[in-house]
Amino acid sequence: MNLTLTRLPHYEGVQGPLLLIILDGMGLYRGRDRGYPGNAIELAAPPHLCRLLKNEKISTRLKAHGTAVGMPSDTDQGNSEVGHNAMGAGRVFAQGAKLVDDAIESGSLFEGKTWKRIIANSLAAKTPIHFIGLISDGNVHSNISQLISLIGQCDREGIEEVYVHGLLDGRDVPPISALRYFGELEDYLWSLCSRAKKMGKKRLYCVASGGGRMVTTMDRYEADWSIVERGYHAHVLGMGPKFPNCFTAIRSLRDKEGADDQYLSHWVIHKPGSADTPLAQIRDGHGVVLFNFRGDRALEISRAFVEDDFTGFKRIYRPEVIYAGILEYDADTRMPPEYLVAPPAIDRTLSEYLSKNGVSQYAISETQKFGHVTYFWNGNNSAKFNEKLEEWVNIESDRVPFDQAPEMKAEAIASETISALQSGRYKFLRLNFPNGDMVAHTGSMSAAVKAVNAVDRALGRLIEAVDRLGGTVVITADHGNCEQMIAVDEKTGRAIMGPGGEYKPQTSHTLNPVPFIVHGPDTDRYELSSILDPGLGNIAATILLLLGYEKPDDYLESIITLKD
C-alpha cells in the first residue's frame, strides 16, 4: 500500500506548527427563535471565540451529524466517536447505528457465526439469552428498534427465555423519558409471551435489571470502575434494590432520589411472590449480548465478562458464558473477542499518512476524550503508527460531577500543549476540550456557561502561543450540544416551556453545524472552496493542504483552496 503523499507544486505549507483545536460539543445554534435562551455559548459571550468567528477571513460552518458522519439519516445526531472518525479518516464510513441497521435489514447479522453459536447453545442447553444495553432511540449508543429486532429473532428461533438488563438514557433523549422506552419494550415482550402462550409454547421474556447510564455499567476510559461493578453485579447476580417491575423501580427511584434518568441508581426485578429473590441471574452456559453499538462505554463491561486477568474490580462470580458485543469495540485489543457485526474497516487515516511521510504529531486531551483524539481519530485503532513521531498525552479527569467542576482540565490541556508547541518537536498538534459536551450533558446552564468561558480562556492562551511561533490554528467541533440546552418545538422553533413554567432542558447532542476557522499568517493565500455543505470529513484534506500536501484521491475535498 503506497502511503507517499505528493507535495503541492506552489505551496510549501504553513511555516510554524499547525494546531487543530476541537471544541467538543460547541456547535452553532441555527434555530429560528432569535430570543432563544438556551445557548450557553451566546450567554457566555466568549471573547476570543467570538472575535475569531467575526473577524477571521476563513470561517464557515460544517455538518457534523447525519449522513455527513456516516449515520443512517440527517435526523440522527452526531457524536464524538463518529465525528473524530470522520475528521481523522478524511472520508465518511457507515457507522455503528447504520452498520447494525444494515446487518439486521439484510439478515446478515442472524447468519453470522456468533449469533448462530449463541442461538444453538441456548436451544441445546435450554439456557437464557441476556441482552444488556441502553433502552432508548437516541441512536448514539444504541437503538431500541435494534434490540426489538434481536429479541424478535430469538422468538422466531424458539428461544424460551430472554432477559433484558436495561440502562436508562436521559442524555441522548429527554432527561425524563425512561417510562416511554421501557413501556415500548415491555409491550413488545408481553406480546411475544402472550402469542406464544396461545400457541402452547413457553416464553419468558422479561426486564431483569437496570439503572441510570451514568452510574450503572457504562463507564469509559477507566474513569470509575465502581460504575461497572454495580452494573455487573446487578446484571449477573441480581444484587441491588429489588422491585416487582421496571416501572415501579423507575418511579420509586425518581421519587426517592429526585434525579434525571441517567443518574438513577441500579435496580433488580424480583421473582413474583419472592421480594428477595432476583428474577434472573447470568449463569454458566448462558448467552450474553451487549447491544450498544458505540464502543467507549462498552469496553469495560465487556472486559469484566471476558478477561481472565481482569483487575477492574473484584468479581464475586464470573459465569462461563458466550459473550458478544453487537460490534467489535476495539480492533486493536480485539474486545470483545466475539461480536455480531464487523466494524467499518477504516484504513489510511490522516495520522497514518503523516507518520509515513515523516510529519511529527502530538495529541492531547483529558481522560474523558483522550480516546477520541487517539483511537477514534486513528480509525478505531488504539496503536500509534510511528512511536518516534507521535506523542499522546492523557491528562486524568477529575472524578467529580461535571457541573461541579465545569472548568475540567482546560487550563492543564492548554499548558501542556503550549509546552509542546514551544519544544519545536511537533509539526501537527491536535487537542480536544471536552467541556462543552460533558458539562452540557448535565443540563446545568450556569455550569455550561462556565465551561464555555474556561475553554475560551484556554483558547486565548493557545492562540497567543501559536502567534508567537508563526504558526497556524484550525478551530472546529465534533458535534453540537451546549449551544442548544433547552428543547425547541420543531413546528414553531420556540423554546419549550414545561408544566411548571420552567424551560424544558435538552441534554442531548444537536443537529446544528459546527464552526470551522483558520487563523494564521497565510490566511490571505486561502479562500473557501465551493463545496456544497462541507462536513467533518473534509477536514483531513484541509490539514494536508495546510501542511503542503495534495490529498489522496479518495479523500473528501479540502474546505479551502489556494488563491491563484
Side-chain angles (χ1 to χ4, degrees):
M1 181 169 58
N2 182 14
L3 293 169
T4 302
L5 293 169
T6 302
R7 278 285 181 184
L8 290 170
H10 305 298
Y11 184 56
E12 296 181 356
V14 297
Q15 294 304 301
L18 175 61
L19 173 63
L20 172 65
I21 299 175
I22 301 167
L23 309 176
D24 208 298
M26 293 178 61
L28 298 171
Y29 182 69
R30 61 175 180 176
R32 292 170 284 162
D33 185 353
R34 293 191 178 276
Y36 177 68
N39 188 340
I41 300 175
E42 186 175 84
L43 292 173
H48 300 293
L49 180 59
C50 289
R51 185 182 69 252
L52 291 163
L53 287 168
K54 181 180 179 180
N55 297 332
E56 287 297 336
K57 297 169 183 164
I58 303 299
S59 178
T60 190
R61 298 181 170 202
L62 304 181
K63 289 185 68 175
H65 74 284
T67 55
V69 289
M71 302 298 280
S73 76
D74 283 336
T75 62
D76 292 316
Q77 305 160 2
N79 62 64
S80 296
E81 289 65 43
V82 300
H84 285 75
N85 271 170
M87 283 189 274
R91 296 150 288 162
V92 177
F93 291 81
Q95 287 292 342
K98 183 167 174 40
L99 275 178
V100 177
D101 283 343
D102 290 348
I104 289 174
E105 184 177 351
S106 69
S108 62
L109 185 153
F110 306 121
E111 294 301 317
K113 63 179 183 180
T114 301
W115 178 264
K116 284 181 170 293
R117 180 170 173 241
I118 291 172
I119 294 295
N121 174 77
S122 181
L123 291 173
K126 293 191 177 301
T127 53
I129 295 176
H130 301 260
F131 291 97
I132 302 173
L134 193 66
I135 310 297
S136 87
D137 58 2
N139 227 37
V140 174
H141 290 270
S142 69
N143 195 308
I144 189 173
S145 65
Q146 296 172 355
L147 171 63
I148 285 174
S149 295
L150 297 176
I151 295 172
Q153 186 68 16
C154 287
D155 175 58
R156 288 187 288 274
E157 301 208 37
I159 303 302
E160 294 184 347
E161 289 186 65
V162 168
Y163 297 104
V164 178
H165 305 270
L167 304 168
L168 286 65
D169 193 342
R171 193 174 179 91
D172 301 318
V173 295
I176 304 296
S177 57
L179 293 176
R180 178 202 315 173
Y181 298 109
F182 277 82
E184 179 182 348
L185 175 61
E186 284 280 18
D187 282 348
Y188 183 68
L189 298 178
W190 182 89
S191 69
L192 294 180
C193 294
S194 177
R195 185 179 63 185
K197 184 177 181 180
K198 292 177 182 178
M199 299 173 64
K201 298 179 181 179
K202 176 186 175 183
R203 291 291 185 273
L204 183 58
Y205 285 18
C206 305
V207 175
S209 68
R213 58 179 281 181
M214 293 305 288
V215 294
T216 311
T217 306
M218 286 177 57
D219 183 47
R220 66 177 174 187
Y221 308 144
E222 302 187 49
D224 188 352
W225 275 106
S226 69
I227 292 173
V228 185
E229 180 178 13
R230 68 177 63 97
Y232 176 89
H233 288 135
H235 309 326
V236 173
L237 296 178
M239 293 175 57
K242 307 291 193 298
F243 298 90
N245 55 64
C246 61
F247 306 119
T248 302
I250 293 168
R251 290 191 181 103
S252 298
L253 290 170
R254 281 178 179 172
D255 291 339
K256 178 182 178 182
E257 300 176 354
D260 291 348
D261 292 342
Q262 61 180 317
Y263 296 110
L264 290 182
S265 297
H266 64 293
W267 42 266
V268 174
I269 305 306
H270 64 69
K271 285 186 175 181
S274 180
D276 295 326
T277 305
L279 175 66
Q281 296 174 304
I282 299 176
R283 294 297 189 185
D284 291 348
H286 292 195
V288 180
V289 174
L290 181 62
F291 62 87
N292 284 5
F293 46 71
R294 176 167 149 176
D296 58 346
R297 295 189 186 273
L299 283 170
E300 290 174 39
I301 186 65
S302 296
R303 290 174 56 192
F305 273 99
V306 306
E307 284 185 352
D308 294 331
D309 57 351
F310 179 74
T311 59
F313 57 85
K314 182 176 176 56
R315 294 176 292 197
I316 298 173
Y317 166 66
R318 181 196 175 191
E320 294 294 330
V321 299
I322 301 177
Y323 179 89
I326 202 164
L327 293 174
E328 181 184 42
Y329 302 123
D330 186 340
D332 190 57
T333 61
R334 301 298 306 275
M335 183 59 62
E338 297 191 73
Y339 45 89
L340 304 182
V341 181
I346 302 178
D347 62 351
R348 298 181 294 105
T349 63
L350 176 61
S351 286
E352 186 172 12
Y353 272 111
L354 295 180
S355 293
K356 298 299 182 183
N357 287 269
V359 179
S360 54
Q361 301 173 68
Y362 179 89
I364 183 172
S365 187
E366 60 178 280
T367 309
Q368 287 295 331
K369 298 291 182 175
F370 175 70
H372 296 77
V373 291
T374 55
Y375 171 78
F376 291 107
W377 176 275
N378 278 351
N380 306 329
N381 187 332
S382 59
K384 297 174 183 175
F385 296 106
N386 188 317
E387 288 285 346
K388 294 181 179 179
L389 287 176
E390 296 181 80
E391 178 72 18
W392 295 354
V393 177
N394 177 13
I395 296 177
E396 185 175 354
S397 295
D398 293 325
R399 298 190 179 187
V400 296
F402 301 114
D403 57 342
Q404 293 182 20
E407 296 80 7
M408 299 182 70
K409 295 296 183 182
E411 283 301 305
I413 292 171
S415 295
E416 289 289 337
T417 304
I418 290 170
S419 295
L421 287 163
Q422 293 172 342
S423 74
R425 294 173 53 196
Y426 309 103
K427 183 63 179 179
F428 174 56
L429 304 90
R430 61 185 183 271
L431 66 83
N432 179 300
F433 286 122
N435 309 55
D437 185 36
M438 303 310 298
V439 179
H441 276 314
T442 70
S444 172
M445 180 64 73
S446 60
V449 169
K450 292 179 181 177
V452 171
N453 281 323
V455 169
D456 193 65
R457 288 192 296 272
L459 177 62
R461 293 179 59 203
L462 288 165
I463 294 289
E464 183 181 359
V466 173
D467 284 347
R468 283 201 219 99
L469 297 168
T472 298
V473 179
V474 174
I475 301 166
T476 192
D478 53 350
H479 57 78
N481 193 339
C482 70
E483 81 287 354
Q484 188 172 326
M485 292 183 61
I486 292 174
V488 176
D489 186 288
E490 293 182 2
K491 294 182 179 179
T492 67
R494 304 287 297 180
I496 299 175
M497 297 291 289
E502 297 180 350
Y503 287 112
K504 182 179 179 181
Q506 175 175 313
T507 57
S508 64
H509 298 168
T510 72
L511 304 179
N512 292 320
V514 299
F516 181 83
I517 303 166
V518 180
H519 167 87
D522 286 358
T523 51
D524 284 338
R525 302 188 63 176
Y526 317 136
E527 60 187 359
L528 291 172
S529 63
S530 58
I531 303 171
L532 183 64
D533 289 331
L536 297 182
N538 298 95
I539 289 177
T542 310
I543 296 296
L544 287 172
L545 183 148
L546 291 170
L547 292 171
Y549 294 103
E550 294 183 359
K551 73 175 187 66
D553 290 341
D554 61 344
Y555 267 36
L556 298 177
E557 296 297 324
S558 170
I559 300 163
I560 62 174
T561 60
L562 293 167
K563 293 181 180 178
D564 293 334

